[in-house]
């Protein structure tokens, strides 16, 4: 379970999130909002990439401030641009990176890499240079790299924004199949239709928190 | 982007550990520069050519390496001739050609990835200098990953500037490339730490001052 | 060293490689080709300081040494580094370090005369201090002859300094966090 207690977050003078208190227990939670609504900072608070200026963020009872390392093991993070998330030159090396950081035994790493490659249709590309993959393949590799670490939660920061329609659907399917709890930041309302809960942020405050139908309707009226 | 001048092969030179080849190169370079004798330069030159031929690398490969160096060899030899005499010109030219051919032979018979792997193993020796091998190895991998990325960003930006008639301007191209590089660097660092990389005691974790 | 510093080191090494992709410019007056690549050490030092700048160029040197064709014109490998121009490439890490050190001392705001002085002393002076004796050793020339042979490149280097100053100032405005040395 993810819990925010009286969280306020600022950049210098600017307040981007204001006094949020939330418990996220559902399997699929989405966060939507216009540009500058604070949703990207919200995502980064959940795995301790950023620490709140005030208040607490708890992941399964672990505080992101004091248990940063453990939190990062529990919460995977998929970024908007896979080009910045893939950090090794070759596909299989990149998949192994997160697993090596977990200090898993060599056999376990190999087994998990093979499984992740097979699951995302990347087996043929295992020795391929990462920069030669298509945009959709890169995002799948990024997801595979996080998934292989078997976190309890995965946070997605606009994972389909840079993809074309076909790859969007492919990535959406991959996300739908994940066994993990998912928190997804997105502009892509289509992606959220089968989610359990949708939170609408505006200027750092929660303005709606509901099932997808009513929440998306509210958001569309507000943006109009 | 082709990442190495490596030529695939299976001979003895290919199978030698990269570390041995590098040590041999360093030893040969030191010897040739320390002992400026025509006989030694000529024997080494012939021996290096023999190594090429014996490894199945023909005259075409040798010529491909020597051709771009002919001008500099000519300048070097010419200057020696003018200053001293023909024999010392021959010595300097043979010495330089032998060294460059031998160095290229190391590159031709060793994959860049094997060389880097050898390097990473050797990094162990840097520990007493308080150099962390894991960090050096991460920096190497990141550079290999992002060299092609920066190459395509540069090409993309030049394309965009061509539309504005600015493709010859280094400033108009370099500024957007570097700004993108700096923003990418923030995201990449976040991504590395999000995947459980532990940089040691120091972290770049922020309470939000650096990002917009 | 933070993760972000490691990333900066790798990316400025990659930037120096990318600068090698610019077509060389030939100065009509002296007929010498100048490449954008030697701006790499100046940009790295001036933008991210001594440690990151110096290590970025050291990393670049290592990548060239293992055979990656990253030098302008697609050259790489030990052969090139031991050749006549190898001393200049060897000088780049030191130049980047010294330039970064001087910029840091001035809190990344040395003023125009200061910037020109830093880049001339370390970006040209230091590089030639290593590159010229190297030529003289490799080519068997006297120091004086090697220096005379290299002087044709100096006008191009001065142009590069002007370009580097323009680039670093614009980048700093677009990315102010750099000026706090981050």
């Amino acid at each position: 379970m993810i819990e925010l207690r009286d969280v306020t977050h600022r950049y210098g003078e600017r307040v981007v999130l204001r006094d949020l208190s939330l418990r996220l227990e559902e399997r699929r939670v989405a966060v939507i909002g216009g540009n500058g609504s604070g949703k990207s900072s919200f995502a980064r608070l959940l795995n301790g990439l950023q620490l709140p200026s005030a208040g607490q963020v708890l992941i399964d009872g672990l505080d992101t401030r004091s248990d940063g390392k453990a939190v990062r093991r529990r919460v995977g993070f998929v970024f908007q641009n896979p080009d910045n998330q893939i950090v090794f030159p070759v596909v299989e090396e990149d998949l192994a990176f997160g697993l090596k950081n977990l200090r898993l035994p060599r056999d376990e790493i190999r087994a998990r890499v093979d499984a992740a490659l097979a699951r995302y249709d990347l087996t043929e590309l295992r020795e391929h240079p990462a920069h030669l993959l298509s945009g959709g393949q890169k995002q799948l590799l990024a997801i595979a790299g996080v998934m292989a670490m078997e976190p309890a939660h995965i946070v997605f920061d606009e994972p389909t924004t840079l993809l074309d329609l076909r790859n969007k659907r492919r990535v959406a399917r991959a996300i739908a199949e994940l066994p993990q709890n998912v928190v997804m930041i997105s502009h892509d309302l289509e992606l959220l239709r089968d989610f359990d809960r949708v939170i609408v942020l505006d200027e750092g405050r929660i303005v709606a928190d509901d099932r997808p139908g009513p929440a998306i309707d509210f958001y569309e009226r507000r943006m109009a | 982007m082709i990442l190495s001048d490596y030529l695939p092969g299976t001979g003895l030179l290919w199978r030698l550990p990269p570390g041995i080849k590098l040590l041999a190169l360093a030893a040969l370079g030191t010897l040739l520069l320390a002992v400026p004798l025509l006989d030694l330069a000529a024997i080494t030159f012939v021996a290096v050519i023999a190594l090429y031929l014996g490894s199945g690398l023909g005259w075409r490969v040798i010529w491909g390496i020597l051709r771009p160096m002919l001008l500099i060899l000519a300048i070097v030899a010419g200057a020696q001739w003018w200053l001293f005499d023909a024999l010392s010109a021959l010595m300097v030219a043979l010495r330089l050609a032998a060294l460059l051919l031998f160095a290229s032979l190391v590159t031709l018979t060793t994959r860049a990835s094997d060389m880097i792997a050898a390097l990473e193993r050797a990094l162990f020796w840097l520990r007493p200098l308080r150099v962390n091998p894991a960090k050096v190895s991460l920096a190497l991998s990141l550079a290999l990953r992002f060299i092609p990325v920066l190459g395509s960003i540069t090409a993309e930006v030049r394309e965009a500037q061509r539309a504005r008639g600015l493709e010859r301007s280094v400033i108009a191209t370099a500024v957007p490339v570097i700004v993108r590089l700096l923003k990418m660097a923030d995201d990449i660092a976040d991504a590395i730490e999000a995947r459980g990389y532990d940089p040691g005691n120091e972290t770049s974790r922020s309470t939000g001052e650096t990002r917009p | 060293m933070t993760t972000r510093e490691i990333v900066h080191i790798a990316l400025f090494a990659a930037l120096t490689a990318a600068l090698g992709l610019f077509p060389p410019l030939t100065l009509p007056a002296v007929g010498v080709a100048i490449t954008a690549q030697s701006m790499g050490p100046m940009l790295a030092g001036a933008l991210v300081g001594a440690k990151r700048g110096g290590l970025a160029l050291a990393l670049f040197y290592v990548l060239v040494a293992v055979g990656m064709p990253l030098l302008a014109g697609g050259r790489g490998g030990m052969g090139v580094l031991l050749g006549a121009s190898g001393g200049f490439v060897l000088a780049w890490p030191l130049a980047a370090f010294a330039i970064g050190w001087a910029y840091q001392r001035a809190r990344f705001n040395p003023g125009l005369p200061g910037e020109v002085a830093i880049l001339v002393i370390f970006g040209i002076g230091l590089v030639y201090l290593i590159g010229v004796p190297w030529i003289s050793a490799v080519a068997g020339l006297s120091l004086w002859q090697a220096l005379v042979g290299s002087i044709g490149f100096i006008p191009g280097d001065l142009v590069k300094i002007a370009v580097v100053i323009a680039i670093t100032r614009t980048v700093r405005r677009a990315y102010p966090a750099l000026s706090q040395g981050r």
Side-chain angles (χ1 to χ4, degrees), chain B residues 98-146:
Chain B
L99 206 52
L100 295 183
L101 279 172
F102 190 78
S104 301
L105 190 60
V106 174
T107 305
L108 283 171
T109 59
T110 319
R111 277 177 218 276
S113 58
D114 291 343
M115 201 87 94
I116 287 168
L119 216 61
E120 287 179 348
R121 282 193 299 276
L123 287 173
F124 167 78
W125 298 100
L126 292 179
R127 268 193 193 279
L129 300 173
R130 303 208 308 133
V131 176
N132 180 341
K135 289 184 179 180
V136 182
S137 154
L138 178 63
L140 271 168
S141 298
L142 284 172
L144 294 178
R145 161 77 182 104
F146 287 102

Side-chain angles (χ1 to χ4, degrees), chain C residues 35-176:
Chain C
T35 70
Q37 194 158 50
S38 51
M39 299 191 322
M42 302 190 206
L43 288 169
L47 288 171
V48 291
K51 181 165 91 176
R52 280 174 276 176
L55 289 174
L57 271 294
L59 179 56
F60 177 80
Y61 188 88
V62 168
L63 292 171
V64 172
V66 301
M68 293 181 61
L70 304 180
L71 288 172
R75 293 167 308 137
M78 301 287 183
V80 184
L81 290 180
L82 289 176
S85 58
F88 290 98
V89 186
L90 182 64
W92 286 351
L94 298 169
F97 183 88
I99 290 167
W101 172 81
Y103 266 82
Q104 274 168 318
R105 279 199 54 139
R107 289 165 201 274
F108 288 101
N109 188 16
L112 188 59
E115 272 182 283
V116 173
I118 292 170
L119 293 171
V120 168
I121 293 170
F122 299 119
I124 300 182
L126 180 60
V127 170
Y128 279 67
L129 193 65
I130 296 166
V132 169
W134 184 283
I135 294 181
S136 115
V138 169
L141 299 170
S142 75
L143 275 179
W144 175 248
Q145 290 155 337
L147 183 62
V148 170
S150 310
I151 267 173
F153 290 96
I154 289 195
D157 289 331
L158 293 172
V159 173
K160 282 179 224 173
I161 285 181
V163 172
V164 165
I165 291 175
I167 292 175
T168 49
R169 293 187 161 210
T170 320
V171 167
R172 242 168 238 299
R173 273 201 302 278
Y175 204 87

Side-chain angles (χ1 to χ4, degrees), chain A residues 136-147:
Chain A
Q137 286 169 332
K138 281 181 190 164
Q139 192 57 285
L140 287 173
L141 173 60
I143 294 173
V146 171
M147 212 263 330

